[in-house]
Amino acid sequence: MKRIGLGIVILGLFQTTWADENLFGYVKGAETLPKGGQELYQWVTNRSDKGAGHYSAFDYKTEYERGITDKFNASVALKSMSLDTSGIIIDGYMPADRKFGFKISGLEVGGKYNFLSPASEPIGLSNQFELSYSAIDPHSGQDKDTLSFENMLIAQKYFMDASLIWVGNLMFEGTYAKRSHINNLPEGFEWPTKPEMELEVQIGTGLSYRFAPNWYGSIETQYETEFETEVGQERWSWFLGPSVHYGAKDYWVTATWFPQLRGGRETFEEQDDKNLHLIEKTKNEFRLKFGYNF
C-alpha cells in the first residue's frame, strides 16, 4: 500500500512533466507518453575536434512521438546534418576535405513499450526499438547507404521522493552499410565499396537531481564498442558529461556536454591523442534537445 500511495503521489505531481521528458542528452528514461499524448522533439548535436586538421559536424533530428496506449509509444523522425572538415585524410574513412550546409540525411521510425512503470513499481522497465536509414556517412560526409536496427532495454528508478532519478540502458544495434564509389581518390587510398555488416553494443547510465522547481542537473555516461565484418572489434569509446534540464508544463529543454574520456582500437597517425578513438568519434559532443507537448 505504501508503494502504491507513493506511486499515486508521483503520478499526480509529476506525470505531466516526466511523461517521456528527456532529463538526459544521451541516456534514455523508461517513461512513456499517455494514450493520445503527442510530443515534438528537436535535437541539435555538434561533434567537433578529431585531434588533427579541422572537424565540425552538426546533426539534426526532428521527431514526432505519439502515445498509442498508456504503455506503447510510436515515433517517426527526419534526420539531417551539416559538415565542415579540412586537413584530415584517414585511409578507408575520410578521403578528402568536405563542406556542406544543411542536408537531409535520413529517416527513422521507432517504438517504445513500458513493462513496468517507475512511478508505481520498485523499478521501471521499458524496451525501445528503432529502424533507421541514412544516405550520408556522418563522419566523412560521403554518400553511404546505411540501414540500422537498434534495440534498447531501459531501466529507471526514483529515489528521495522522486527528487533523484537513476536510469540505465543496454543497447544492441545491427547495421548494413554500403559506400558509393568515389572518383579521383588519392593514390593507394583504400575505399571499400562492398557491403559491410556491423554490430554495436552500448551501455549507459545517468543520475538526475531536481535542485530547484522545474530544474534538474544530471551526470551521464556511455560506453560504446563496434564490431565489423572483417576486423572484429573496430573501436570503443567512453563518454561522460553533465546535463542541465528545464521542464515547464508544455515544453522542456536539455543541454549536454559529452566529452570523450578514453577510446581505443583503430587510430590514425596524425591524431594528437592516441588514448582516444577519433576516426569515427570526436573529442567533444554538445547536444541541445527541445520537446513540446500538445
Side-chain angles (χ1 to χ4, degrees):
M1 292 296 295
K2 182 178 180 181
R3 182 196 310 165
I4 295 173
L6 177 59
I8 292 172
V9 170
I10 294 173
L11 286 171
L13 291 177
F14 304 116
Q15 186 176 33
T16 56
T17 303
W18 286 353
D20 208 23
E21 185 173 333
N22 293 189
L23 300 179
F24 304 91
Y26 290 80
V27 297
K28 299 179 180 180
E31 293 281 13
T32 51
L33 294 172
K35 182 179 179 179
Q38 302 178 91
E39 193 156 19
L40 187 66
Y41 305 89
Q42 181 62 58
W43 299 20
V44 181
T45 305
N46 175 241
R47 299 176 282 115
S48 63
D49 195 350
K50 286 187 176 290
H54 170 74
Y55 188 92
S56 179
F58 282 89
D59 302 318
Y60 308 93
K61 180 178 176 181
T62 304
E63 180 177 359
Y64 169 76
E65 185 175 20
R66 182 180 178 86
I68 307 303
T69 70
D70 287 338
K71 287 184 170 291
F72 178 70
N73 292 175
S75 62
V76 60
L78 179 67
K79 299 189 296 182
S80 52
M81 68 173 292
S82 62
L83 179 67
D84 183 1
T85 177
S86 61
I88 309 173
I89 302 295
I90 305 175
D91 191 43
Y93 290 93
M94 299 188 65
D97 294 350
R98 188 81 164 160
K99 183 176 182 178
F100 55 84
F102 184 87
K103 183 183 291 188
I104 301 298
S105 60
L107 294 169
E108 180 181 283
V109 294
K112 183 180 183 181
Y113 186 82
N114 176 244
F115 297 100
L116 299 171
S117 170
S120 58
E121 301 293 338
I123 190 168
L125 188 65
S126 291
N127 181 250
Q128 180 169 307
F129 58 89
E130 295 175 348
L131 179 65
S132 63
Y133 167 77
S134 178
I136 302 175
D137 177 38
H139 317 297
S140 67
Q142 302 293 331
D143 292 340
K144 181 179 180 180
D145 290 319
T146 304
L147 184 65
S148 298
F149 179 76
E150 173 186 308
N151 192 54
M152 178 182 290
L153 187 65
I154 305 169
Q156 180 173 334
K157 186 172 179 60
Y158 296 134
F159 299 92
M160 299 167 55
D161 294 330
S163 292
L164 182 67
I165 304 163
W166 169 82
V167 299
N169 298 167
L170 175 62
M171 186 273 284
F172 297 91
E173 181 182 63
T175 297
Y176 168 90
K178 189 178 187 305
R179 307 179 196 188
S180 298
H181 176 75
I182 300 176
N183 294 319
N184 303 315
L185 286 170
E187 185 177 353
F189 189 88
E190 180 184 358
W191 186 255
T193 56
K194 65 180 181 179
E196 300 173 337
M197 295 295 295
E198 299 171 343
L199 175 65
E200 180 176 317
V201 179
Q202 185 184 98
I203 302 171
T205 189
L207 280 172
S208 185
Y209 179 71
R210 187 175 70 250
F211 61 88
N214 301 329
W215 286 93
Y216 300 82
S218 308
I219 187 75
E220 56 185 301
T221 184
Q222 275 186 348
Y223 170 83
E224 301 178 23
T225 184
E226 185 177 277
F227 301 85
E228 197 264 330
T229 308
E230 297 182 353
V231 300
Q233 187 184 33
E234 188 175 31
R235 63 172 174 85
W236 67 270
S237 52
W238 173 38
F239 289 80
L240 183 146
S243 294
V244 62
H245 171 90
Y246 176 79
K249 180 180 179 181
D250 297 322
Y251 71 91
W252 53 263
V253 181
T254 303
T256 306
W257 174 43
F258 217 44
Q260 183 180 169
L261 300 187
R262 292 297 298 269
R265 299 296 292 177
E266 290 189 331
T267 61
F268 64 99
E269 185 177 351
E270 292 81 8
Q271 73 179 67
D272 58 6
D273 190 339
K274 302 299 183 181
N275 293 314
L276 301 177
H277 176 80
L278 298 173
I279 294 179
E280 296 191 33
K281 296 294 183 178
T282 56
K283 291 185 178 183
N284 290 291
E285 294 191 14
F286 297 90
R287 175 169 289 177
L288 181 66
K289 301 167 75 173
F290 173 80
Y292 175 71
N293 297 289
F294 59 98

